[in-house]
Amino acid sequence: MANGLTKGASEDVIRCDACPVLCYIKPGRTGSCDRYGNHEGRLVRLDPHVVLDRAVERGESVVPFLERSGDWDGTLVSHGETFVTAIGAGTTYPDYKPAPFIISSHVEGVDMVTVVTEGIFSYCGVKVKIDTDRHLGAECSTVRAQGEAVGHVTTSEYGSQMLSLGGVRHLTGGSRHEGTATCETLLDLCNGKAVELKIDDGAKVVVEAGKPPVVDGAQEERMRVGCGSATIGMFAKQWFGKVDEVVVVDDHITGVLSEHQAGKLLGVRETGIKLKGRRSTPGRYFQVAGPGTSWGGTDIDDPLKILGKFNGKQAWPGLRLLMVSTTGEQYAYFELDDDLRPQEKELPADLRESVARIEENCEPALCSVLFMGGAGGSLRAGVTENPVKLTHSVRDALTRVTCGGSPVYVWPGGGITFMADVTRMPRNAFGYVPTPALVAPIEFTLKLADYAALGGYVENVRPLSSITRDQFVHNEEGPRRLTARSDNPWPLASQQNAPKRGKKQ
Ligand code: SF4
């Protein structure tokens, strides 16, 4: 924990040593990051320290992290039902010092230890998944916040656009303002706030974890039911007999019922339809239009633009054609006139149901924000004098890593590189320091015997019950006791069935 060395012209000024900035803080003032302040000559961590409790009212956790600090007398018991998170715990700097809290507990007959620290991450970022078919920007396009480059568009996934934001290059490798804007963007996203992002030659999108994206001012409602080909496969039977041809318009794979295997097996007659774009396999077309924010993530408002002339040998006057997008949001119904040209008509009642079914099968569009950081050599040094042993312990599933008490996915390979869903963490779990870097909670939980074996700071281990209210938090607000989410694995649960590295912990 930060020591707060007294130094300077005034005896009352305190130097915060919790990060490389080493602020001098006058009485009654805070340091540059607002995390620490000078309270009556004492260096104090200003945000309340968060502990999780699962002993009481487990059924209430439908509402995430119900706050119950008001009815708590400050008593802490070490029966494994209370978990000390790193949120508000403070930071050590330099990292060879032991972590701020190394807490023992007795769980199911086993002595456990949880090492708790707020890590300072210069190497970190967020991966953002935006459920939308709409084209937000070309891959590798720069993503900006406050006009500064804070990340880029990365490979889109099924029904979603992906952004990679932050990282050491944006935090430290550009101008001071780029680093600050990047840090603010990451902090807001991780703390569940809405952030407006602008993609070069692309869309403006408002991202908020767990909320629908807003693309160019329009809130996205649904994510696609599937690609155009999959949609044909799913609904072919429902269209059979009610319409002669269906085209599901999609920026990636546009489907055509009469040519698709699903149509062939049902005996759908050839219609002489001609699609623009590149034919991949029967009934599946790539690049029928440019990417955009209209029909199926293309740039077309008029679906007929993707059709060529119908072949007169197979088409016939009166042929019924349905064109629909992958979300069912856009649709149009046509019948061929005597010259085999499509004429738009009102959608027949018996086709309305199938369009509604596409919409019904689309899940709500949301933004997902995963924090990604690495517990590097320095952070691990606060856990053990031999940092690589912590890595091995995580790899061997002896040590469980959590982020604010929430599960993480630890990547295979070197180091302890992890991802955590910020919506599973208590709100405002993240902070920053102006180096710039993000401050994120991280906890390591393992058996006490294993902790000793990996060279841990055993002499600094203390029981939960030894922590008084005053030691626990240094502000008048007191500790914040939250009910653990029932859909998160309990961090102190038996490690017996813990997954090996590379799985969610
Ligand atoms: S920026 Fe914050 S953590 Fe760093 S020295 Fe200043 S007050 Fe302490």
Side-chain angles (χ1 to χ4, degrees), residues 270-410:
E270 287 187 19
T271 61
I273 196 166
K274 176 120 180 67
L275 264 283
K276 294 176 182 168
R278 181 158 69 83
R279 187 169 179 266
S280 161
T281 53
R284 300 169 74 253
Y285 288 84
F286 300 161
Q287 301 155 18
V288 296
T293 56
S294 193
W295 279 63
T298 69
D299 58 355
I300 56 159
D301 291 320
D302 175 6
L304 294 180
K305 281 188 180 166
I306 68 170
L307 299 187
K309 277 190 173 174
F310 276 76
N311 184 338
K313 288 184 184 158
Q314 289 142 344
W316 64 94
L319 184 153
R320 300 163 298 173
L321 167 67
L322 170 66
M323 299 189 78
V324 63
S325 68
T326 44
T327 56
E329 189 181 341
Q330 296 101 343
Y331 58 86
Y333 173 77
F334 305 90
E335 290 181 8
L336 297 193
D337 62 16
D338 291 341
D339 297 323
L340 303 181
R341 284 187 308 224
Q343 302 297 332
E344 186 161 7
K345 301 258 168 96
E346 195 179 333
L347 184 71
D350 58 357
L351 286 180
R352 277 185 205 287
E353 198 181 327
S354 67
V355 172
R357 185 64 60 82
I358 293 176
E359 288 193 50
E360 184 189 333
N361 274 272
C362 295
E363 292 178 55
L366 295 176
C367 297
S368 309
V369 176
L370 297 193
F371 169 72
M372 185 162 173
S378 55
L379 196 152
R380 286 176 289 164
V383 181
T384 164
E385 287 176 350
N386 193 358
V388 74
K389 286 201 167 184
L390 179 64
T391 311
H392 296 160
S393 181
V394 172
R395 183 178 301 153
D396 294 339
L398 299 174
T399 294
R400 170 175 287 154
V401 185
T402 51
C403 200
S406 305
V408 303
Y409 174 85
V410 180

Side-chain angles (χ1 to χ4, degrees), residues 133 224-236 239 245-257 260 273 275 283-285 288 295-296 298 300 303 306-307 321-328 330 358:
D133 262 355
R224 56 153 68 180
V225 66
C227 70
S229 171
T231 308
I232 292 280
M234 290 164 75
F235 296 101
W239 288 319
E245 184 66 279
V246 180
V247 177
V248 181
V249 182
D250 177 14
D251 177 38
H252 308 127
I253 308 171
T254 289
V256 179
L257 177 65
H260 195 278
I273 196 166
L275 264 283
R284 300 169 74 253
Y285 288 84
V288 296
W295 279 63
T298 69
I300 56 159
I306 68 170
L307 299 187
L321 167 67
L322 170 66
M323 299 189 78
V324 63
S325 68
T326 44
T327 56
Q330 296 101 343
I358 293 176

